[in-house]
Amino acid sequence: MTSEITLFVNPTAGRGRGAGAAQPAAEALRQAGFAVRTVVGNDAPDALARAREAVGAGTGALIAVGGDGMASLALQAVAGTDTPLGVVAVGTGNDFARATGLPVREPAEAGRLIGEALKAGHCRTLDLGRVGDRWFGSVLASGFDSRVNDRGNRMRWPAGRLKYDLAILAELAAFRTIPYRLTLDDGEPQDIEATLVAVGNGPSYGGGMRICHGAEMNDGLLDVTVVGDCSRGTLLRVFPRVYKGTHLSHPAVTTYKARSVRLEADGVTGYADGEPFGRLPLTARVVPGAVRLLVAE
């Protein structure tokens, strides 16, 4: 393995924590004996192009510094290659890092552990979800939660998490179930009324909401959580349980496992790892062993 590695930085992650995190992470990696090159793009497409260029040139590892959005962008560059991925999680949600047991908001410690993993050649091989030519590590969301994202993205004020709290209240006021057509693997399509359908490679999204509680990232399967036809009051009672994963026992919730999941519904956007993946219909497939994640032994 080459001793040169690439630090892939989002300076705006976590309200500016990304810029501050790059330096201690880089210092820890240099102390471990690696030459560190930093990549910061002008925008997401430019950053991804630069990351792919580094991977194509044979960098020893791609280290994403930021939140779930940056980890997701890095996945687009390393998935299906032999280049290992490191994650220095300093964003707001950090669901990918939490699901894989990585340090959160501890950039120096994350850099130190990545350095140890690189020297030992220690990687954890993980599955990824794939929609078309795009990859996701955590959850593909659709329905109530994706409509909250849509509304929040349209709001110019306020900033941060408060914006999404207000978006939740607005979507609750306009709450209605959605007619879906759900197809698992090669089975017959199911026509259902649902509040939301989430497809998980990992267990959580939104900063710790364990919507696909119990999902394992190396079992070759996607976990599907369907919150069915329920009232606004039921949703308000059930939704807080998502932080512990106990919502799965509610009668309105149904779960499945599948290698591929096709979601069809009118006027619904799919979001994966917090990023918009486009309007439904979308088909998600699991790709076993698609990424090599640098982790401590």
Side-chain angles (χ1 to χ4, degrees), residues 16-277:
R17 282 192 296 267
Q23 185 173 349
E27 180 60 27
L29 289 163
R30 291 190 179 101
Q31 287 180 1
F34 294 95
V36 179
R37 173 175 174 257
T38 300
V39 168
V40 181
N42 297 319
D43 52 27
D46 179 56
L48 178 55
R50 293 175 187 233
R52 283 176 167 158
E53 182 180 351
V55 170
T59 187
L62 186 68
I63 315 300
V65 183
D68 285 323
M70 202 61 180
S72 178
L73 203 59
L75 288 177
Q76 312 311 311
V78 301
T81 75
D82 290 330
T83 303
L85 172 68
V87 176
V88 178
V90 292
T92 302
N94 304 309
D95 287 287
F96 185 80
R98 294 180 198 278
T100 50
L102 300 176
V104 172
R105 298 176 189 161
E106 299 180 48
E109 177 67 3
R112 184 185 70 79
L113 292 175
I114 289 168
E116 289 182 1
L118 278 166
K119 287 194 290 185
H122 194 266
C123 291
R124 181 182 173 195
T125 302
L126 300 177
D127 306 337
L128 292 176
R130 190 168 190 178
V131 176
D133 61 355
R134 296 182 67 181
W135 303 85
F136 67 94
S138 298
V139 176
L140 171 68
S142 73
F144 177 79
D145 41 11
S146 67
R147 286 179 167 171
V148 168
N149 266 313
D150 281 340
R151 185 179 291 270
N153 290 341
R154 293 193 301 268
M155 294 168 62
R156 298 187 180 275
W157 182 92
R161 188 170 293 276
L162 179 57
K163 175 169 67 174
Y164 289 95
D165 291 342
L166 292 176
I168 288 172
L169 292 175
E171 283 300 317
L172 281 170
F175 176 75
R176 64 191 185 279
T177 56
I178 300 166
Y180 276 90
R181 175 163 286 186
L182 172 67
T183 307
L184 305 174
D185 295 329
D186 297 322
E188 290 295 318
Q190 306 175 48
D191 291 319
I192 59 174
E193 291 285 329
T195 301
L196 65 86
V197 181
V199 180
N201 179 60
S204 69
Y205 64 0
M209 292 189 288
R210 302 186 66 81
I211 189 69
C212 295
H213 182 63
E216 298 180 2
M217 301 175 75
N218 59 357
D219 63 354
L221 294 169
L222 298 169
D223 284 47
V224 184
T225 299
V226 177
V227 179
D229 188 357
C230 62
S231 67
R232 185 183 292 109
T234 299
L235 180 62
L236 285 168
R237 288 192 298 273
V238 173
F239 206 73
R241 294 168 56 178
V242 77
Y243 286 97
K244 293 184 177 180
T246 57
H247 64 292
L248 297 185
S249 63
H250 193 277
V253 179
T254 307
T255 61
Y256 307 93
K257 289 182 181 287
R259 291 179 298 277
S260 70
V261 182
R262 181 169 176 80
L263 301 176
E264 299 174 71
D266 292 335
V268 176
T269 303
Y271 282 78
D273 295 345
E275 303 297 316
F277 267 46

